[in-house]
Amino acid sequence: MKNNGEKISGKIGLALGSGSARGWAHIGVVQALSDAGIHIDYIAGTSIGSVVGAVYASGNINTLREVVLQLDWKQIAYFFDVVLPKSGLIDGKKLSAFVRSHVNRINIEDLPIPFCTVSTDLTTGEEVIIQSGDIIDAVRASISVPGIFTPVKKNGAFLVDGGLVNPVPVSVTRQMGADFVIAVDLNHGIANDKGFCQTAPPISRGSHSRTDAGNATEKKNKILELLNDRFAAVDFPALSQLKEWMRAERVPNIFEVLTSSINIMEAQITETKLKTDPPDLLIQPNLSHLKFLEFNRAEEAIAEGYRATKAQLNRIFKEGDSCGVF
């Protein structure tokens, strides 16, 4: 694609939204923006958007792309250590170490591109924007999905996933100084596709074959099965009745309940936020069929992120001055 970056006036901000495994689409988004010659001046990330945003701001996005394309279900399961009965099911230390290995700076203020993360104060419900200090602490707080990851204590507050208050941080990117905001919404359409279902999951859309979709589902089930086994192995007397109930009847397991609830909630919040504070360019990859833990489907997510971004760029570049954004 030819260089069109100069057609967008002012400082350009990139708002990378929440979306669990769909977040690898952010890698495709930034690749398409780079191919179009668009220079990003500010980056704000929520949840998985903070992970990709931190690595992108550090200058290591290509290395991250190579790594995630090789992830399989066993490697993904490695990051999830059940620590119940603490304040979350999973401790994020291994995930933090993974992110640390892909950033060149320790502190956010030292990154080549201005960057911040969005978290939620668990006590007050207020949005917490972190623009300085240890980058891994900031990312770890932003990805702390309530009930799944343990919260992060920072300055006396317990911080959890920023998706609770601002799943696509358009407003934050503007506060950083952006004149033109490009936002990536990964929650589009998931409310209809992500609820618990007792039947087999739908076949993946797009170019993937029925066999590919079946393999992806098998990998997803292996991850859930491993997590459920770890959960069942926890020796906590108060859980015994719950475990007996789960064995007796096919009901949503604890991971399905939490992830489906988060998906539904963030989809609703995203829709409201985008109406009240719309970005200048909205990118919505079609990935509603990807499940919460399917991080092993990075190739599909990256490709869709690239496709969706290129399509939106082609559209606005063709419209030119008629749309009033240049």
Side-chain angles (χ1 to χ4, degrees), residues 143-300:
I143 65 173
S144 295
V145 180
I148 296 182
F149 285 102
T150 54
V152 171
K153 189 174 184 180
K154 185 177 179 66
N155 298 327
F158 287 98
L159 304 181
V160 294
D161 197 314
L164 297 179
V165 291
N166 203 347
V168 185
V170 174
S171 58
V172 177
T173 314
R174 293 197 196 282
Q175 292 173 26
M176 296 177 74
D179 302 301
F180 188 99
V181 176
I182 301 171
V184 186
D185 168 24
L186 301 178
N187 297 315
H188 181 65
I190 66 172
N192 294 327
D193 287 357
K194 305 301 273 189
F196 170 74
C197 180
Q198 289 183 308
T199 58
I203 297 299
S204 172
R205 290 189 290 257
S207 60
H208 288 259
S209 67
R210 181 177 297 270
T211 300
D212 291 336
N215 290 339
T217 299
E218 181 183 357
K219 293 176 182 177
K220 184 264 305 188
N221 288 339
K222 286 182 178 179
I223 297 170
L224 280 178
E225 181 180 349
L226 182 100
L227 291 176
N228 288 332
D229 287 346
R230 290 177 179 173
F231 171 68
V234 175
D235 185 15
F236 188 41
L239 292 177
S240 59
Q241 186 173 356
L242 173 61
K243 292 176 183 178
E244 287 298 325
W245 177 57
M246 290 173 65
R247 280 193 291 265
E249 182 179 358
R250 174 61 179 121
V251 296
N253 64 52
I254 191 167
F255 295 100
E256 290 170 325
V257 170
L258 290 170
T259 58
S260 293
S261 298
I262 292 293
N263 278 322
I264 293 169
M265 178 194 66
E266 291 195 357
Q268 298 297 328
I269 297 174
T270 298
E271 184 176 358
T272 300
K273 283 282 189 178
L274 291 177
K275 286 179 179 178
T276 58
D277 191 9
D280 299 286
L281 178 63
L282 178 60
I283 300 168
Q284 295 177 307
N286 181 17
L287 291 169
S288 62
H289 54 286
L290 257 64
K291 307 302 179 185
F292 193 90
L293 294 175
E294 291 185 317
F295 290 96
N296 51 298
R297 298 176 70 175
E299 183 175 4
E300 179 180 353

Side-chain angles (χ1 to χ4, degrees), residues 295-313:
F295 290 96
N296 51 298
R297 298 176 70 175
E299 183 175 4
E300 179 180 353
I302 293 172
E304 175 56 18
Y306 188 94
R307 184 209 63 77
T309 304
K310 187 173 181 179
Q312 284 295 83
L313 292 177

Side-chain angles (χ1 to χ4, degrees), residues 14-17 22-36 38 40 52 56 61 65 182-186 281-285 287 301-310 313:
L14 181 61
L16 300 178
R22 300 183 300 280
W24 296 146
H26 291 317
I27 298 175
V29 170
V30 299
Q31 181 181 353
L33 294 174
S34 177
D35 289 349
I38 296 175
I40 300 300
V52 177
Y56 179 37
I61 196 66
R65 182 181 184 276
I182 301 171
V184 186
D185 168 24
L186 301 178
L281 178 63
L282 178 60
I283 300 168
Q284 295 177 307
L287 291 169
I302 293 172
E304 175 56 18
Y306 188 94
R307 184 209 63 77
T309 304
K310 187 173 181 179
L313 292 177

